[in-house]
Each structure stands twice: as structure tokens, then as C-alpha cells.
Amino acid sequence: MPLTEEFKSVLFPHDEVRPIQDELIRQINHVIITQQNLIVHAPTGLGKTAAALGPALKEALKKDLTVFFLTSRHTQHKLAMETINQVREKYKLNFTAVDLIGKKWLCLQPNIDKLYPREFSEYCKKMKEDELCDFYTKTRNKGEPSKIVQEVISQLKDANTTDTESIIEKSTANKICPYEVALYIAKDARVIIGDYNYLFNSHIRETILKRIGKELSKIIMVIDEGHNIPERVKDLASHKISTSTMKRAIDEARRSNRKDLAEVLELLERKLWEIAERVVDEAYIEKDRLIEEISEMTDYESLVSDMEAVADKVREEQKQSSLGTVAAFLDAWVGDDKGFARILSRSIGLKGETIITMQYRCLDPSLITKDVIRGAYCTILMSGTLSPTSMYKEILGFDTAEEASYKSPFPEENKLNIVIPKTSTKYETRSDEQYMEIAEILARAINKIPGNTAVFFPSYDLRDEIHKHFSKLSSRPMFVEKQKLSKKEKFEFLDAFKSYKNVGAILFGVVGGNFGEGIDLPGDFLKGVIIVGLPLQRPDLETEALIKYYDEKFKKGWDYGYLFPAFNRALQSAGRCIRSETDKGVIIFLDERYAWKNYSRCFPPSWEIKTTLLYEKLIDDFFKKS
């Protein structure tokens, strides 16, 4: 529909408002004006970014607030910045916005890409404290931005080029820290586009808000791809060490001439092996047991403090420190019991060696998220797979929130959703015969799809077992996803796959892998997606603890701890097909459980599902209509 005064008033950036998008804009505008929260399931194509940023910015300009648009995907950072620039241009507004990706990816120091987030954080902190980072020291002059930084900021703001690429380019040319430049810009920014960590990691949040002079109570928080938040936050609050980490920590202590520390760590490593003696696979471990074992050898707090001190020196030379990892783990280990699980596990390493791992695993993201949500001006949580919204409301700790589920704006006749109620990937049914049957069904279905097809499996092992049979049944070009791909390799893989759109190639991937989320294959690049089985978590102790925890808290342990998260992972992979209003494709769920009532209830209400064994004719008829 044409842009009316109603939508101009909320700074909508485009000339036309899409069907259904108008309802989303009105609802977002309402919750922001009334300072409420919103949890919204909004499928691909609704234009969530524009629908949220316009109303949020309008209110921010009116009431001196700041919009934090949180997303983990760099492509979404770019889209959000483009949307902001369109608003600025269309309505002749003068305000600052800044793109703030993860600190590690803004760092100009060499060889930091392999550091884990905590390792990088400690390395960066030490480099700054000891004035060893020239990029950082060059940005400051007696606590204020240096002259060169002021000039760079002025140039970036004047050109409205405060996106990540421009900040890095200018900073690199002037040999100054891009992260510091971005933070200085953020002080005056009305919109900040950032990673989840900037508000959901308590230490980073406190530091950032203090640095940029913002208050949480004056922040409109828009969380994109909100289905990722529970796992991301749980990972942030979790810690683990292994006997491999311990060995590296012992070596660090010896190289640092801390024989006393090395001896204590060797004793601790032996204690871990003793604790694990009767463990076949994994077992829960009491908090006090590890504390008592260490306290018999030395003072617990002094050990942590000593390791942290030595780790700081190690990082000056090699950027990362296993001593620091062990110290952080032991510091976390004495934390809360409620909402956490302490698990010891035994596994086999790449060289066939036995590895013992101890985890302090967060089960409840609301322990972190609820205070942020309660403290913010208002929160909008949105995603194309945020179903059921009631689950996210409960597990993230919203006190109150409006909940909404919108239909896809794309023509329903362009999408064929099929459940084939045959075969199963349940552990007890797995066999060579079952793999062969799955491969045969895949071959028959794919032969009816005139173009590229992506097939997603619950795991790499299961995919490889089925691929052995499938490769003998199909002559189409095959693209088999590797577990670890660099960004460059990922793009090259996709480009090669897309080049077969007229021939019809097959991508064999994994739900949650490189291509199960966050990629777009619009138009003729993808005509079909097949989800093989249900990507349920391995029934390990963490899953058991999660089910038990959510049973006690909400009486919904099976749903919240096991079924719903798995179903949403399947829907994410299914969403790789149909990315625009002109796309046409088929989505197939291959597993008898998808037809069972307890599982089929998890499909979004707006989806029209056809459960049939006559899938070949259905697919054939569907594509003949085009």
C-alpha cells in the first residue's frame, strides 16, 4: 500500500508498506509509546527491521532515548545501517547511528582470530593496562579522544559512514583502535547496532554504558533473531575445563618458573582422573567435592588469584592463556547451584586419547536476561521462528509482554509443505536398512524438484551414513558440507552450489551447521528443502537437567527443554527456502514423528501441512502449475 501520513509519522523508510507489515508497525509503535514489551513471531518477508527501527527511532528522538538494535549476524548489521540511512535521507533528519560489532572483530592486532571471546577479553585488557597496544594508546590523550581520533570521528559523522567497514578502514589508515573510535561515536548515537553481548554480558554492559554515558532505563532494546538469545546467554554464563586445558596450564606454569603452581595443578589433574574413574560417559558432580579437593592442597582463592596473575604475563607473549581459563572456571565454580548443572564427562580426543571435561553449565537464561529486560525502557524480541512466543516470555523472564504471531506475507500457493510419515531417526530405530529407506525416499523426492535442493540432517554422522546409500541412487551434482568452514570457504561453497540452479544440485548439510541458518538463497537458487528427522539434543545429562529444571519451574520440561528448541532448529533450516514473494518451493519433513500430534502441534498455526506418502505426485503437480 502507498505510504500514508500514519506511517510517515513513525519514520517508515520505504515508499510502500507491505501487507501484514502495516499491522506489525502499528503494534510495535503501540508498545514503544506505552513502554511495554513485545515478543513477536514474524516470518521472513515482513520487513521486521524497518518495522521496528522506524517507530523506535521516532520515540528515541522525541524522548531523548537510545535504540539498541541487537543482532548476531553481520549481514543484519548492514541491513540495519542501510535502513537507518534511508530514514535519515527520506525525512531529512540529522542524528548519529553506529555499527558496533564484537570487539574482537574490530581489533587490528595480528593473529587474534583464533582466540576464544574470554581469552581475547583478557588479552585486550592486559595490553591496554600495560600500554602495549599502540592502536589503543594513540586514541587517547589524558583520558580524552586524541586529536587524530577527533578528526576521524568528524569525517565519519559528516559523511554518515559510521558503519563497521568505514570505521575499520579509517582507523586502519590512521593506526588507531576501531573499537575505541566506535565507542566515541556511540556517545552521541541515537541508534547503536550491536551484538547481544553488549547488553547481555553484565561486565560488558556495565563497562559500555558507562563509557558511552547511556542508562539502561533510557534504552529501547530491539532484539533481532531472538530465537538465538536463550542459547547465546546460557553459553555466556557457562564455563568448562578439560584435562587437555590442565596440561597446557601446567606447561605455562613451568615456563613461567612457577613450579609451585605447576605442582598444585598436577595434583588437581590427578584428582580429576580419580573423580572420573567410575564414570563411563558422564556424571553430575557436587560443587563442594571439587572445592574440598583443592582446599586440601592449597587455599582455593589464593590459587585462583595466583593463576590469574601468571596468566596476565603469559598473554603478553602468546595472547591466550590456559592458566587464565582454569582460573576463570574455578572462580565460576563457586557460583549458584539453582539454574546451573555441574557435569563431568569422558570423551575421546582427535588422537584417540581420553579427555575428562568438567562443566559449570547455565540452564536458565533468565538469570541474566530478566534484569536487562526489566531495566530497559522497553524490549522488542522478534524472529521468524519465535514459536511459541509464550515459551520465550517465560524462559527469558519477561514480567509482562504482548505476544503476537504473524502470517507470512508471501503467497501461500507458492509454498508446498509436506510431511512424509515414514522412517525415523530415533536412536533405537537407526539401522542400515533405515538409512537405505531414507536415502531412497530422498532420491525419489529430489528427482521431482526442478532445481537445487538442500537436505538437512540432525548430525554429521547420520548424514554421512545416509549419504553412503544416497550417492548410489542420484546422479545430480552433490555438495557435502564440511564441519568447519571459513567465511571465504562458505561463500565459495554457496556460489558453486548456486551455479547449478538450472541443472539441480543437492546440498547435504546439518541443522545448526554452516548453512542451516543465516543464508539467503532467493529466486531460482533453491527450489526445495528437506529436513531429515528431528534435530533433538542428545539425551545427555545437560538435557536431563534442563528438562527437570523447566519441569520444576514451569511444569513444561519436555517442551521447553527438549521438543520446542529442536523444532525451531528444524524450522530455521526449512526457512532457507522461500525468501521473497516470487519464490516458489517445496519444504519436506521426513520422519514419522512430524505427523504425531505431540510434534505436529509445534508447526506455526499459519502453515498448511500436507501429510502424505504420495509425495512424488504432489511435488510434480505443484511445480507443473508454475
Side-chain angles (χ1 to χ4, degrees), residues 172-381:
T172 303
N174 289 279
K175 297 180 180 178
I176 53 179
C177 174
Y179 176 72
E180 291 297 314
V181 171
L183 279 193
Y184 282 126
I185 296 171
K187 279 188 173 184
D188 302 319
R190 193 58 68 192
V191 181
I192 298 171
I193 299 155
D195 187 81
Y196 303 138
N197 288 4
Y198 284 117
L199 289 184
F200 286 112
N201 180 310
S202 59
H203 173 69
I204 293 175
R205 179 177 67 252
E206 289 168 13
T207 304
I208 289 289
L209 294 185
K210 186 177 180 182
R211 283 285 310 274
I212 65 178
K214 309 282 187 185
E215 297 174 22
L216 186 58
S217 62
K218 298 189 75 176
I219 287 173
I220 297 172
M221 191 161 57
V222 181
I223 306 170
D224 187 42
E225 301 294 332
H227 63 276
N228 287 320
I229 283 289
E231 284 305 312
R232 277 291 300 273
V233 170
K234 285 194 291 184
D235 287 343
L236 280 174
S238 299
H239 291 258
K240 71 176 180 179
I241 57 167
S242 69
T243 45
S244 300
T245 315
M246 295 291 293
K247 282 183 170 61
R248 291 194 297 270
I250 291 164
D251 288 341
E252 283 179 17
R254 291 199 178 283
R255 289 198 306 270
S256 302
N257 296 316
R258 287 299 303 269
K259 185 181 176 184
D260 58 327
L261 202 54
E263 288 174 351
V264 171
L265 288 169
E266 283 173 341
L267 275 172
L268 178 57
E269 186 192 3
R270 283 202 291 273
K271 293 287 186 185
L272 286 183
W273 283 107
E274 286 173 17
I275 294 170
E277 263 182 10
R278 296 183 182 179
V279 176
V280 177
D281 186 19
E282 55 181 357
Y284 295 117
I285 181 168
E286 294 293 325
K287 173 169 71 174
D288 291 344
R289 181 165 185 186
L290 183 63
I291 294 171
E292 286 167 6
E293 295 283 7
I294 292 173
S295 297
E296 285 177 10
M297 298 182 284
T298 186
D299 180 74
Y300 193 99
E301 290 183 8
S302 296
L303 176 64
V304 173
S305 181
D306 279 356
M307 284 194 291
E308 286 174 343
V310 178
D312 280 343
K313 293 177 182 176
V314 171
R315 290 188 190 99
E316 291 179 15
E317 296 179 11
Q318 61 185 47
K319 296 182 174 62
Q320 60 194 116
S321 168
S322 293
L323 275 168
T325 302
V326 177
F329 173 83
L330 293 178
D331 188 45
W333 185 262
V334 297
D336 293 338
D337 293 327
K338 193 170 179 62
F340 289 86
R342 291 176 171 82
I343 299 169
L344 182 143
S345 59
R346 180 187 289 266
S347 61
I348 303 300
L350 294 174
K351 296 177 182 177
E353 76 281 18
T354 299
I355 297 172
I356 305 301
T357 302
M358 289 186 73
Q359 288 192 79
Y360 176 60
R361 183 68 189 167
C362 179
L363 304 172
D364 186 351
S366 74
L367 297 173
I368 291 90
T369 55
K370 65 182 178 185
D371 289 338
V372 184
I373 292 166
R374 289 170 184 173
Y377 185 85
C378 73
T379 298
I380 297 160
L381 185 77

Side-chain angles (χ1 to χ4, degrees), residues 351-612:
K351 296 177 182 177
E353 76 281 18
T354 299
I355 297 172
I356 305 301
T357 302
M358 289 186 73
Q359 288 192 79
Y360 176 60
R361 183 68 189 167
C362 179
L363 304 172
D364 186 351
S366 74
L367 297 173
I368 291 90
T369 55
K370 65 182 178 185
D371 289 338
V372 184
I373 292 166
R374 289 170 184 173
Y377 185 85
C378 73
T379 298
I380 297 160
L381 185 77
M382 58 187 194
S383 171
T385 49
L386 213 56
S387 181
T389 53
S390 56
M391 176 180 77
Y392 290 92
K393 180 180 178 181
E394 290 192 322
I395 68 173
L396 293 176
F398 282 84
D399 288 331
T400 59
E402 286 191 15
E403 299 173 52
S405 290
Y406 287 88
K407 287 185 177 182
S408 170
F410 302 150
E412 283 297 320
E413 62 270 21
N414 284 1
K415 183 171 73 164
L416 175 63
N417 302 308
I418 300 175
V419 165
I420 302 176
K422 196 97 167 99
T423 72
S424 177
T425 58
K426 285 192 295 184
Y427 287 95
E428 59 267 28
T429 65
R430 292 184 184 183
S431 66
D432 208 47
E433 290 76 20
Q434 186 80 285
Y435 299 150
M436 183 65 194
E437 187 174 7
I438 291 171
E440 288 172 347
I441 293 172
L442 287 176
R444 287 197 291 268
I446 290 169
N447 281 341
K448 295 294 181 181
I449 299 173
N452 287 342
T453 305
V455 186
F456 294 105
F457 298 83
S459 69
Y460 289 99
D461 289 342
L462 186 66
R463 179 201 66 184
D464 293 343
E465 289 293 336
I466 293 168
H467 181 251
K468 288 176 190 175
H469 298 286
F470 182 84
S471 59
K472 300 169 188 174
L473 302 172
S474 176
S475 59
R476 290 195 184 189
M478 284 289 304
F479 288 78
V480 181
E481 174 197 340
K482 292 180 182 176
Q483 287 199 44
K484 292 183 179 179
L485 291 175
S486 67
K487 196 174 283 188
K488 182 173 179 287
E489 289 171 332
K490 187 174 171 180
F491 284 129
E492 288 173 351
F493 185 101
L494 273 183
D495 284 343
F497 175 66
K498 289 192 288 188
S499 70
Y500 283 89
K501 66 175 185 175
N502 296 325
V503 178
I506 305 163
L507 189 161
F508 260 37
V510 171
V511 172
N514 291 290
F515 306 107
E517 184 175 351
I519 62 162
D520 279 328
L521 292 167
D524 293 331
F525 291 130
L526 193 64
K527 287 295 186 181
V529 169
I530 304 176
I531 310 298
V532 177
L534 263 162
L536 293 161
Q537 285 290 100
R538 191 167 70 93
D540 54 17
L541 290 185
E542 183 185 338
T543 304
E544 177 185 277
L546 195 60
I547 292 170
K548 183 182 177 184
Y549 181 80
Y550 280 136
D551 245 348
E552 291 172 354
K553 190 170 183 179
F554 303 119
K555 307 298 181 192
K556 296 171 183 173
W558 177 263
D559 283 352
Y560 287 7
Y562 197 54
L563 180 56
F564 289 169
F567 219 93
N568 276 346
R569 285 192 289 273
L571 292 176
Q572 270 296 317
S573 293
R576 298 316 94 209
C577 195
I578 315 293
R579 307 298 292 178
S580 76
E581 61 272 10
T582 57
D583 288 0
K584 184 167 184 175
V586 58
I587 298 171
I588 299 171
F589 297 88
L590 174 56
D591 194 299
E592 63 184 8
R593 288 171 292 178
Y594 284 111
W596 298 355
K597 189 175 181 181
N598 194 37
Y599 293 85
S600 63
R601 67 190 169 99
C602 301
F603 283 110
S606 60
W607 280 38
E608 185 182 326
I609 307 290
K610 297 185 187 302
T611 302
T612 180

Side-chain angles (χ1 to χ4, degrees), residues 66-181:
T66 303
V67 179
F68 253 91
F69 186 91
L70 302 179
T71 179
S72 61
R73 289 168 54 192
H74 287 192
T75 51
Q76 282 302 109
H77 281 254
K78 289 182 180 179
L79 176 60
M81 280 301 288
E82 287 169 7
T83 303
I84 289 298
N85 288 331
Q86 288 167 337
V87 169
R88 259 194 296 232
E89 188 176 332
K90 188 175 186 68
Y91 298 99
K92 308 297 184 231
L93 294 170
N94 184 23
F95 63 89
T96 300
V98 67
D99 185 6
L100 200 59
I101 62 171
K103 187 177 184 180
K104 174 181 164 182
W105 307 113
L106 288 167
C107 182
L108 299 183
Q109 288 289 348
N111 305 317
I112 52 89
D113 55 308
K114 292 181 181 177
L115 297 183
Y116 292 113
R118 286 192 183 102
E119 290 175 336
F120 172 75
S121 179
E122 291 300 325
Y123 165 71
C124 178
K125 178 184 173 186
K126 184 63 179 170
M127 291 287 282
K128 290 193 297 185
E129 285 175 353
D130 293 352
E131 298 185 353
L132 296 171
C133 179
D134 291 336
F135 301 114
Y136 173 75
T137 54
K138 202 176 172 185
T139 62
R140 303 167 78 83
N141 181 19
K142 296 178 181 179
E144 296 297 318
S146 63
K147 187 177 179 182
I148 185 65
V149 167
Q150 291 179 44
E151 289 174 4
V152 167
I153 290 171
S154 180
Q155 291 167 9
L156 290 167
K157 280 186 175 181
D158 289 348
N160 278 335
T161 52
T162 48
D163 56 281
T164 291
E165 288 79 6
S166 300
I167 290 171
I168 291 175
E169 185 182 339
K170 280 281 187 185
S171 299
T172 303
N174 289 279
K175 297 180 180 178
I176 53 179
C177 174
Y179 176 72
E180 291 297 314
V181 171

